[in-house]
Amino acid sequence: MKLASHNEGADGRLLVVSRDLTQAVPAEAATTLQAALDDWEAVAPALDAQYRALNNGTAAGAAPLDPASLAAVLPRAYQFLDASAFLEHNFILAHAWGIDRRTPADPPLIYQGLSDRFYPPHGDVPFRSTDDGIDFEAEFGVIVDRVPLGTAPAEALGHVRLVLLLNDWSLRAFGPEEMKGGFGFLQAKPPSALSGIAVTPDELGAAWADGRVHLPVTVTRGDTRFGMPHGREMTYGFDRLIAHAAATRDLCAGTVIGSGTVSNADAAAVGSACIAERRGLDTIAGVEPVPFLGFGERVRIEAFDAAGKSVFGLLDHRIARR
């Protein structure tokens, strides 16, 4: 099924959305997505019944879906954990910057990010200065139910309730110093944006396999395609990421886990999902690096299925001066 949150209050109003993203109906079994995640086993059958009714045209109260009325699918969360699960991204930056390459034998890198709010999938995103190195990062993500401490990778995917798309906004001017400090990101990571739509794994069909989203993500900067890297090259699947995060603690229901920047071995051909990686490629090629984002620029991120249909809806943002 496909779920969304209407922009009402701090936590939104949970909606059930049709497969083609054209119709929606208020969920009857839970008023917010967090409430549904807290009691998923009890709530999910009723949500699924509404979803099936919506798709066959018999859902009471159905109305056209207005994408502009949507909040982030989970407007705020108890926890946001963001990984760097595509090692090709590390390989490119390691080559460009002369740093050590990581290997698949290394544990995944995950930081704990800001989660008291997520930007909606559309509209202006405020920043204080272009000197901060404003960048986007197109990622896939999952939302889990409660994951017990010590959950193994083989069990972890059973806790994935929803899959989504996200933009992990980054301020590159702060990243190097914060990473050298070894205490995690703070100023380098403003709020992220979540897609308006999240889908259950079964909705993806063959595109959900091995704990990975086997779909390309299309990134457009202004009117120009910036990249279309594919999710299948994720080095660490979400099973590994969930198990790593839960090694020493429970994960609460509603924890959002991001994949990190989607990146492919042939990035020079398919493009990138963030500016930092493109700048790394420019450095390797010996050309002037592309600039970071300026005020007024527009960034769009979307993932399409094999039939060319949008899966999570469009993330469409404009860089605004605070």
Side-chain angles (χ1 to χ4, degrees):
M1 60 185 151
K2 300 192 175 187
L3 302 175
S5 292
H6 189 265
N7 187 16
E8 297 178 31
D11 294 301
R13 176 65 171 91
L14 183 60
L15 302 175
V16 180
V17 179
S18 63
R19 182 169 287 112
D20 63 4
L21 308 187
T22 64
Q23 298 283 309
V25 62
E28 296 174 353
T31 57
T32 68
L33 180 54
Q34 184 61 54
L37 291 161
D38 285 338
D39 197 18
W40 187 261
E41 294 297 335
V43 169
L47 295 177
D48 187 61
Q50 276 193 285
Y51 181 64
R52 286 184 279 108
L54 187 60
N55 286 319
N56 65 29
T58 61
L65 177 66
D66 177 11
S69 72
L70 297 181
V73 66
L74 190 62
R76 58 180 178 173
Y78 291 118
Q79 185 166 226
F80 172 44
L81 304 175
D82 199 27
S84 182
F86 289 83
L87 283 189
E88 290 299 338
H89 177 66
N90 167 260
F91 296 163
I92 291 168
L93 298 186
H95 186 182
W97 299 347
I99 61 177
D100 292 337
R101 284 170 54 128
R102 294 180 59 79
T103 75
D106 294 321
L109 293 176
I110 303 179
Y111 76 91
Q112 187 156 341
L114 188 65
S115 64
D116 63 321
R117 67 172 298 194
F118 291 107
Y119 288 127
H122 51 77
D124 288 354
V125 178
F127 294 95
R128 67 169 196 171
S129 172
T130 56
D131 291 338
D132 292 341
I134 304 167
D135 198 357
F136 52 83
E137 291 190 54
E139 308 182 10
F140 293 108
V142 299
I143 305 177
V144 298
D145 62 8
R146 181 182 175 277
V147 182
L149 180 155
T151 294
E155 303 163 340
L157 294 182
H159 294 282
V160 173
R161 295 310 183 195
L162 295 165
V163 184
L164 70 160
L165 194 62
L166 64 94
N167 184 351
D168 174 40
W169 292 103
S170 296
L171 300 176
R172 301 300 187 183
F174 299 104
E177 285 302 313
E178 290 191 327
M179 286 188 284
K180 278 195 296 186
F183 216 53
F185 293 121
L186 180 67
Q187 294 175 335
K189 293 295 184 178
S192 295
L194 302 187
S195 56
I197 309 294
V199 309
T200 49
D202 63 288
E203 198 68 33
L204 295 174
W208 176 251
D210 303 319
R212 295 162 174 81
V213 181
H214 289 244
L215 294 173
V217 58
T218 300
V219 181
T220 305
R221 180 180 185 178
D223 295 324
T224 303
R225 177 174 290 177
F226 195 85
M228 199 170 69
H230 204 284
R232 66 185 165 223
E233 292 189 31
M234 190 176 176
T235 308
Y236 308 96
F238 281 108
D239 51 346
R240 286 282 306 279
L241 301 184
I242 295 166
H244 182 76
T248 60
R249 57 177 167 173
D250 297 331
L251 304 182
C252 64
T255 295
V256 180
I257 300 177
S259 68
T261 305
V262 180
S263 181
N264 292 172
D266 58 345
V270 303
S272 297
C274 72
I275 296 172
E277 182 174 291
R278 174 69 65 81
R279 288 169 63 89
L281 290 168
D282 289 342
T283 297
I284 293 167
V287 300
E288 184 70 21
V290 299
F292 290 114
L293 291 167
F295 292 126
E297 285 202 74
R298 184 181 180 191
V299 177
R300 287 171 289 169
I301 299 171
E302 198 163 11
F304 299 93
D305 63 19
K309 303 294 185 182
S310 181
V311 179
F312 309 101
L314 172 67
L315 284 84
D316 187 356
H317 297 110
R318 188 180 72 91
I319 308 304
R321 188 189 303 272
R322 180 177 289 281

